[in-house]
Amino acid sequence: MNSTIIEKRKSLKTALFILLTYIFVFQLSALLLRLPGALDFVFGLIDAPLEDKGVILTAWWSFIFGIISLVIIWLLVLRDKGFFNIYEGEKASTSQAIGWGIIGFFMVFVGQIVGASIEMLLGIEAGSENTATLVEIAKLSPVMIIVIALIGPILEEFVFRRVVFGSLIQVQNFLFSAVISAVVFAAIHFDFTHIILYTICGLIFAFLYYKTKRLLTSIVAHILLNSFVCVVQLYGEKILQLYDAVPK
């Protein structure tokens, strides 16, 4: 059998296992808390008022199982040397990938402005419920900031850019692959009111990956975007107060 076909089949298996890891380890692992006595046991480990324990548990659960997911994915990728070899031609260097990632952050920022304008014309109120919920969790349990700004973006880029987009681009054109992966990316956030914003982000991330042939590019852009949102949401008022205090 042709070695290229064997490598592609191996990479498809790796992609499937990464997807399953994301779904069952990161997204659905909280179902373990439905086991008899599990939730009471875990709550007993948290030294906080009862009304705060659920939020703190959410943050730490996401952090721990996010790390576990990343480790599993890393081990899967290590076993598949050709996993990232889905494009023909030369890949961008690490410095070029990071540079495009920074440019990509500004592209996404502009895309968000365009998307917000479209939503406004459609009568959709500004402000993502999904983002607001995550920020509220982060205020009470700062470890959630790591999940939002680092773990989440890396996992999502592996799943939605490499697994979904990367699998489709090998058999379909760029536009079809980018749109499908972007819509799936938007849907997984369960914030359908702002699906336009998430879809625009997904399209730009897919372009960055396609442009440089390096997943690092979209990861950098995604991390910068989420970090920016975290800083603005959590410390925006303090930053404005410091700015106003500066002599002009």
Side-chain angles (χ1 to χ4, degrees):
M1 186 180 293
N2 189 299
S3 60
T4 302
I5 296 176
I6 295 175
E7 289 177 358
K8 284 187 176 182
R9 286 185 176 179
K10 185 175 182 180
S11 291
L12 283 174
K13 288 182 180 179
T14 302
L16 175 60
F17 286 133
I18 288 175
L19 180 61
L20 292 176
T21 298
Y22 178 76
I23 293 173
F24 290 104
V25 179
F26 186 63
Q27 293 286 355
L28 299 180
S29 60
L31 292 176
L32 293 172
L33 295 172
R34 293 180 178 269
L35 294 173
L39 186 58
D40 290 336
F41 172 76
V42 176
F43 268 7
L45 301 175
I46 301 173
D47 183 18
L50 182 60
E51 61 270 19
D52 294 338
K53 287 188 176 185
V55 174
I56 295 171
L57 173 58
T58 298
W60 278 98
W61 193 275
S62 299
F63 174 77
I64 291 169
F65 281 89
I67 293 294
I68 292 173
S69 299
L70 287 176
V71 170
I72 293 173
I73 289 172
W74 182 248
L75 292 174
L76 288 169
V77 171
L78 285 178
R79 294 182 59 186
D80 186 357
K81 302 300 183 183
F83 184 66
F84 292 113
N85 298 331
I86 62 174
Y87 300 111
E88 295 182 357
E90 185 178 355
K91 297 179 181 180
S93 66
T94 299
S95 59
Q96 289 173 330
I98 293 173
W100 268 103
I102 295 171
I103 293 171
F105 161 69
F106 290 103
M107 291 172 63
V108 175
F109 189 77
V110 172
Q112 293 272 286
I113 295 174
V114 173
S117 300
I118 295 173
E119 289 186 348
M120 189 180 300
L121 291 174
L122 296 174
I124 299 173
E125 294 184 5
S128 168
E129 185 177 338
N130 177 65
T131 301
T133 300
L134 293 175
V135 169
E136 286 304 312
I137 294 173
K139 286 180 180 178
L140 186 59
S141 187
V143 73
M144 193 65 183
I145 296 174
I146 301 175
V147 178
I148 298 171
L150 192 62
I151 296 174
I154 296 174
L155 283 174
E156 289 177 355
E157 289 311 306
F158 265 97
V159 173
F160 300 106
R161 250 55 67 186
R162 173 53 189 91
V163 172
V164 180
F165 174 77
S167 297
L168 288 172
I169 196 66
Q170 296 180 67
V171 294
Q172 297 290 339
N173 60 40
F174 169 79
L175 183 60
F176 178 87
S177 304
V179 169
I180 295 298
S181 62
V183 171
V184 174
F185 170 71
I188 202 66
H189 287 83
F190 298 105
D191 192 358
F192 297 103
T193 302
H194 299 286
I195 197 168
I196 293 174
L197 289 177
Y198 285 107
T199 300
I200 289 174
C201 288
L203 289 171
I204 295 173
F205 290 144
F207 166 77
L208 293 171
Y209 181 31
Y210 183 77
K211 170 70 178 178
T212 63
K213 304 179 177 65
R214 295 286 300 273
L215 191 64
L216 175 63
T217 308
S218 58
I219 288 175
V220 169
H222 201 157
I223 287 175
L224 289 175
L225 175 67
N226 284 25
S227 299
F228 176 78
V229 171
C230 270
V231 170
V232 170
Q233 293 287 338
L234 292 172
Y235 308 110
E237 291 184 6
K238 292 182 179 179
I239 293 173
L240 287 175
Q241 290 173 359
L242 288 173
Y243 175 78
D244 292 337
V246 175
K248 300 180 175 64

